[in-house]
Amino acid sequence: MNTIHNVRQGVYATDAERQRYEQREAYDSHHYHSHKNYKATNREGKKAHEAGTLTDTYTGKHFAANDKKNLDHIISAHEIHNDPGRVLAECNGADLANDSSNLTFTNESLNKAKKAKTMEAFVQTLQEQHAATTQEIARLRSQPALSEQEQKQLNKLENKAAADFKRMKEADKQARAKYNGTINQEYYTSSKFAMNVASATLNNAFRMGTRQMLGLILAETWFEFRERIPVMYEKHHRAFNAGDFLQDATEALRAVWLRVQFKFSTFLTSFKDGAIGGMLSSITTTLFNLFFTTKKMMVKLIREMWNNLVQAFKLMIFNPEGLAPGQLAKAVSKLVAAGVAVAAGVVINEALAKILVFPFGPELAAFCSALATGILTLVMNYFLEHSALMKKVWAFLDTFKDKYQKALEYYQQVNAELDHYLLKLSALEFAIDTSELARFTLHLNVINNEIKRGLLLRDEVERRNIALPFEAGNTRSVRSWLSKL
């Protein structure tokens, strides 16, 4: 995204704007110095000079009747004309240069010495020349008589020595504040900037969303092929038949398509998350570029971090799985850690790309950065999941569960224990044949009374000497057993 700050640093987001600046009109001094406000200000200054009320802005002294005054562009017309920010904002250079805030009177010596320099550069030049200027003034003043040329030289040097650097810098500061404010307002409130922001944001959102979605589709494709390729290999590596192979390959592709269809909503969600991350990263980058130039690596970092931050934010706000505070914090921490790992990979890739300048160097840099990202992700996830310190943190956060979460977890544990007990029961060797078991099952299904069904089960348990951890038919005993789980 083109910003005034960036183009002044020579950084353009589009070639069109770069070419438009390079093909700007040549500077025409007459055009800038014949502006109507320049002429009007000169007339007003002449009247003030004649009245003895005109002040030299750069020295703070009143002009004497015989002093030569000049109307100066505080920010030089040449600088304004060639300002990339002004060209980007499509502002009229002559109007900006001849705004009243940028016009001031000073003596002819200072004006001609300043020329097209910036105020900062001009002040630095005067400071560097100050010692030599002072010595020359002293030498001329020590002369018993001066020629006309020497007198003019003395007046010129005295005017330069009278320069008040603080006043000059203050005048430049105020002029630039008004100038930059005008350009910023013209550009950042224009339809041109709004359209560029919207276009860049939507483009980045589409690219990021598509990347996320394609990544999932390719992953699902690989999972399906990973299951089918070994089977196809075992089937065809001994006696290969092209027709059968093509049929199996077609079946594999059909399975991939069905798998993609089944998870289509997941892909859309991934696209949406990626698009939101892309939009936020584009807006963030643009805001940063208003004040400083973001390098390519910084743009990547912002983009990659936003993807993980969006997912973490969604998880914190919606908590779709109803996780307890500790588990929720762990899940969010894993997403943030993944973002940090990706950001570290970007930094490593940029650093290696500058070192590995030989053939296939960029590919090797990309591989090393991806490997580093994977290792960092694994290490950080292992730490978050298994370290004693983090386990204590998650356990502490879990103490803030509400009563409903605690009740839900309790019944989940009870259900797990019951499932475990049923597995044990299913493993027992019932000494009955298939027909007897079928008759018992039929009898159990026919009974529609819970009391009778309970009695039937109790009798069968007693007949087969099955040891239960509670007394069958005793509600208090059952509840006591459940409470111990």
Side-chain angles (χ1 to χ4, degrees):
M1 183 67 217
N2 289 311
T3 62
I4 290 173
H5 180 274
N6 274 11
V7 298
R8 284 175 173 169
Q9 307 300 316
V11 179
Y12 285 86
T14 60
D15 290 333
E17 284 297 338
R18 183 188 296 277
Q19 291 175 4
R20 199 169 72 83
Y21 175 72
E22 291 173 351
Q23 296 170 4
R24 67 192 182 281
E25 295 180 355
Y27 172 65
D28 183 359
S29 178
H30 176 74
H31 174 65
Y32 278 84
H33 290 83
S34 60
H35 191 273
K36 60 180 181 180
N37 194 50
Y38 185 84
K39 293 179 178 179
T41 304
N42 244 331
R43 287 194 295 269
E44 293 174 2
K46 183 178 180 180
K47 293 178 182 178
H49 190 192
E50 292 173 351
T53 59
L54 187 63
T55 302
D56 186 331
T57 302
Y58 296 165
T59 65
K61 298 178 180 180
H62 283 288
F63 283 103
N66 60 343
D67 287 341
K68 291 184 179 180
K69 68 181 189 319
N70 280 178
L71 182 58
D72 182 47
H73 292 105
I74 300 174
I75 306 172
S76 72
H78 183 271
E79 179 185 348
I80 289 176
H81 180 81
N82 294 302
D83 178 19
R86 178 198 68 80
V87 177
L88 177 67
E90 300 181 10
C91 294
N92 185 286
D95 289 343
L96 289 171
N98 292 288
D99 186 87
S100 298
S101 63
N102 194 50
L103 294 174
T104 194
F105 286 96
T106 188
N107 62 75
E108 187 176 74
S109 300
L110 283 176
N111 183 52
K112 289 186 176 181
K114 181 172 176 286
K115 296 181 180 179
K117 296 186 184 75
T118 63
M119 189 65 73
E120 182 180 0
F122 182 46
V123 168
Q124 183 176 353
T125 300
L126 291 176
Q127 289 174 334
E128 292 172 353
Q129 297 174 350
H130 183 72
T133 300
T134 304
Q135 290 177 1
E136 184 62 16
I137 290 173
R139 186 188 70 79
L140 290 172
R141 285 178 177 175
S142 66
Q143 299 294 324
L146 297 175
S147 65
E148 182 179 351
Q149 185 65 28
E150 290 176 328
Q151 186 61 51
K152 288 181 179 179
Q153 179 67 10
L154 177 60
N155 293 338
K156 177 182 176 181
L157 294 173
E158 287 177 339
N159 286 333
K160 289 176 67 175
D164 187 330
F165 300 145
K166 184 176 180 180
R167 290 176 63 89
M168 295 169 72
K169 291 179 179 179
E170 183 61 28
D172 182 69
K173 178 181 177 181
Q174 293 179 7
R176 288 188 184 277
K178 177 68 182 300
Y179 173 71
N180 288 326
T182 301
I183 288 181
N184 288 337
Q185 183 176 2
E186 286 293 324
Y187 180 61
Y188 293 125
T189 59
S190 67
S191 58
K192 173 184 176 180
F193 179 72
M195 291 295 293
N196 288 342
V197 168
S199 176
T201 301
L202 292 176
N203 181 48
N204 198 40
F206 178 76
R207 287 191 292 108
M208 292 296 294
T210 303
R211 191 186 75 169
Q212 292 282 95
M213 184 173 69
L214 286 177
L216 278 182
I217 292 175
L218 291 175
E220 292 298 329
T221 302
W222 163 245
F223 294 151
E224 187 66 35
F225 279 129
R226 187 178 62 182
E227 295 174 3
R228 288 180 174 268
I229 287 176
V231 177
M232 292 173 64
Y233 175 77
E234 288 296 327
K235 181 179 179 181
H236 296 286
H237 82 284
R238 296 184 184 278
F240 180 79
N241 182 282
D244 292 343
F245 177 78
L246 290 175
Q247 184 178 359
D248 289 343
T250 303
E251 287 296 325
L253 292 174
R254 185 179 292 110
V256 168
W257 175 245
L258 292 174
R259 190 164 186 159
V260 170
Q261 283 182 315
F262 180 74
K263 294 195 173 184
F264 185 71
S265 59
T266 304
F267 298 147
L268 288 181
T269 301
S270 176
F271 177 84
K272 180 187 66 177
D273 292 345
I276 293 174
M279 290 175 64
L280 292 174
S281 68
S282 179
I283 293 171
T284 304
T285 303
T286 300
L287 290 175
F288 282 174
N289 285 340
L290 296 181
F291 307 104
F292 59 88
T293 303
T294 51
K295 301 297 182 182
K296 186 177 180 181
M297 183 180 71
M298 180 62 72
V299 174
K300 287 184 179 179
L301 288 175
I302 294 171
R303 182 179 65 221
E304 299 300 338
M305 283 300 298
W306 263 120
N307 287 334
N308 293 81
L309 290 177
V310 167
Q311 295 180 45
F313 183 76
K314 283 180 59 180
L315 183 60
M316 284 191 297
I317 298 300
F318 301 108
N319 193 10
E321 298 180 8
L323 299 175
Q327 299 306 309
L328 180 61
K330 184 198 295 183
V332 171
S333 298
K334 287 182 178 180
L335 287 171
V336 175
V340 172
V342 172
V346 171
V347 175
I348 293 171
N349 184 38
E350 290 291 325
L352 291 178
K354 296 177 182 178
I355 300 173
L356 308 178
V357 292
F358 48 81
F360 301 104
E363 289 76 11
L364 181 59
F367 172 79
C368 292
S369 63
L371 180 63
T373 299
I375 293 174
L376 283 173
T377 302
L378 182 63
V379 170
M380 287 190 287
N381 274 273
Y382 186 87
F383 174 77
L384 292 172
E385 187 72 43
H386 300 290
S387 73
L389 174 63
M390 298 314 298
K391 285 182 178 180
K392 291 179 181 179
V393 173
W394 311 141
F396 171 74
L397 292 175
D398 279 338
T399 60
F400 296 97
K401 300 175 186 175
D402 57 33
K403 61 181 181 180
Y404 302 107
Q405 286 179 318
K406 292 179 179 179
L408 177 62
E409 288 189 1
Y410 168 73
Y411 286 113
Q412 287 175 338
Q413 291 176 358
V414 169
N415 184 64
E417 287 291 335
L418 288 173
D419 288 343
H420 180 67
Y421 190 72
L422 289 174
L423 286 175
K424 287 184 176 180
L425 285 178
S426 66
L428 293 176
E429 180 66 37
F430 292 97
I432 56 177
D433 57 25
T434 307
S435 58
E436 185 180 1
L437 183 61
R439 285 195 299 273
F440 174 73
T441 304
L442 178 64
H443 191 192
L444 191 65
N445 288 331
V446 168
I447 296 175
N448 57 9
N449 185 291
E450 290 297 327
I451 296 177
K452 292 182 179 180
R453 184 178 289 118
L455 293 173
L456 178 63
L457 289 171
R458 185 187 64 183
D459 292 342
E460 190 67 21
V461 167
E462 290 177 353
R463 189 171 72 85
R464 298 188 179 281
N465 295 320
I466 299 175
L468 297 177
F470 53 84
E471 183 181 348
N474 189 329
T475 304
R476 181 176 296 177
S477 175
V478 174
R479 288 180 177 175
S480 176
W481 173 69
L482 289 174
S483 65
K484 293 177 182 179
L485 293 177

